[in-house]
């Protein structure tokens, strides 16, 4: 079993994407190299970073974007992780078998090996986010992935709205919670106040996960306008705002809302122990009275 380090420098890549896979991959590689040159030992990438966010429409031809794991992207990132001696968390459209696809985060260790994967569990089906058409719900459970920089509780986007997911990762020993993300405002959203409420809710819910579990949370979001595929005037303006929140919900660093950016932060993982001693939420949980949580609704 890998022991967790006391300190780790982390990097988050927030980038805009194009409809050309190679352009996206090249940009991602350059961002990772820059983060590593600044001392990052762990780099988190945004959700589905090799393409435009294709789930805005239902189109069977877009299944061609999927790839196997291991596959082309993990080959590139494994080589990069080994060359730079860093851990990389990437989010991919996984082709598991013919007609079976997942939204999958893969963790690549410093030696280039795949340390583990997480398949997105909560799958949305909303205007502009038709993910149920493309993705089979995950079947790997909420299990942290052991790496040289700690046990990573990797979740994906829509998972970030569910406190149960964060809690189960914590109870399984996660040292950090990580969320590759793709979220923004649809073209139809024109009310400035509503836009602010949506973005604020997204930030607050994840800061709450940090507080409730006494863990640092890393969030990597897309940025920029992406049209629906095929090309359309409709689309999503991804609001960026990638951030890192400490175990008391404090914002350690946050990206802008308009352009690509690399976030860097030095984390003291021993702080989690200090915070949990003062706020012993795990100690005081009434697990003997939580049976209702596994019900859809308590009628």
């Amino acid at each position: 079993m890998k022991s967790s380090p006391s300190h780790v420098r982390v990097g988050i890549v927030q980038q805009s994407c194009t409809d050309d896979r190679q352009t996206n991959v090249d940009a991602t590689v350059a961002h990772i190299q820059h983060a590593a040159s600044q001392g990052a030992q762990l780099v988190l990438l945004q959700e589905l970073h090799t393409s435009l966010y294709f789930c805005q429409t239902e189109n069977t031809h877009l299944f061609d974007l999927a790839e196997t794991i291991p596959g082309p992207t993990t080959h590139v990132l494994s080589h990069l992780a080994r060359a730079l001696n860093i851990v990389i968390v990437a989010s991919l459209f996984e082709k598991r078998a013919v007609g079976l696809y997942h939204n999958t985060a893969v963790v690549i260790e410093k030696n280039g090996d795949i340390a583990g994967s997480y398949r997105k569990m909560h799958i949305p089906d909303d205007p502009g986010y038709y993910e149920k058409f493309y993705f089979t719900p995950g079947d790997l459970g909420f299990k942290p992935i052991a790496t040289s920089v700690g046990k990573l509780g990797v979740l994906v986007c829509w998972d970030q709205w569910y406190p149960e997911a964060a809690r189960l990762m914590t109870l399984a020993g996660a040292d950090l919670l990580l969320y590759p993300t793709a979220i923004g405002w649809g073209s139809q959203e024109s009310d400035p106040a509503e836009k602010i409420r949506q973005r604020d809710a997204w930030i607050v819910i994840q800061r709450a996960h940090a507080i409730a579990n006494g863990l640092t949370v890393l969030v990597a979001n897309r940025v920029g306008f992406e049209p629906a595929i095929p090309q359309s005037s409709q689309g999503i303006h991804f609001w960026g705002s990638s951030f890192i929140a400490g175990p008391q919900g404090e914002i350690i660093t946050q990206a802008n809302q308009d352009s690509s950016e690399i976030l860097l932060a030095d984390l003291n993982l021993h702080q989690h122990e200090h915070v949990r001693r003062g706020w012993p939420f795990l100690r005081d949980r009434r697990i003997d009275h939580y049976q209702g949580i596994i019900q859809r609704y308590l009628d």
Side-chain angles (χ1 to χ4, degrees), residues 4 25 37 53 64 67 73 85 120 130 172 191 202 211 214 264:
S4 300
V25 172
S37 74
Y53 180 73
D64 291 339
E67 59 182 283
T73 301
N85 194 37
K120 187 172 181 176
Y130 298 110
D191 180 357
W202 173 75
I211 297 167
L264 295 164

Side-chain angles (χ1 to χ4, degrees), residues 5-67:
S6 60
H7 293 77
V8 60
R9 183 161 234 221
V10 300
I12 290 177
V13 174
Q14 171 178 293
Q15 69 182 86
S16 58
C17 289
T18 73
D19 59 2
D20 181 74
R21 178 186 181 278
Q22 194 58 53
T23 297
N24 298 326
V25 172
D26 288 347
T28 298
V29 168
H31 291 319
I32 294 172
Q33 290 172 329
H34 181 77
S37 74
Q38 299 300 305
Q41 301 161 273
L42 165 66
V43 177
L44 172 65
L45 305 178
Q46 65 201 34
E47 185 181 20
L48 302 171
H49 58 88
T50 66
S51 68
L52 293 174
Y53 180 73
F54 53 89
C55 305
Q56 295 187 59
T57 59
E58 296 182 354
N59 185 335
T60 56
H61 295 293
L62 296 177
F63 284 102
D64 291 339
L65 295 171
E67 59 182 283

Side-chain angles (χ1 to χ4, degrees), residues 160 177 179 199-219 243-254 279 281:
Q160 65 205 183
L177 296 175
Y179 293 96
R199 177 178 168 273
D200 285 352
W202 173 75
I203 294 169
V204 169
I205 189 68
Q206 292 173 98
R207 293 178 68 185
H209 297 332
I211 297 167
N213 295 290
L215 288 180
T216 299
V217 170
L218 284 68
V219 185
F243 68 93
I244 299 173
Q248 290 172 288
E250 70 276 20
I251 296 294
I252 295 172
T253 184
Q254 185 163 23
W279 288 356
F281 300 137

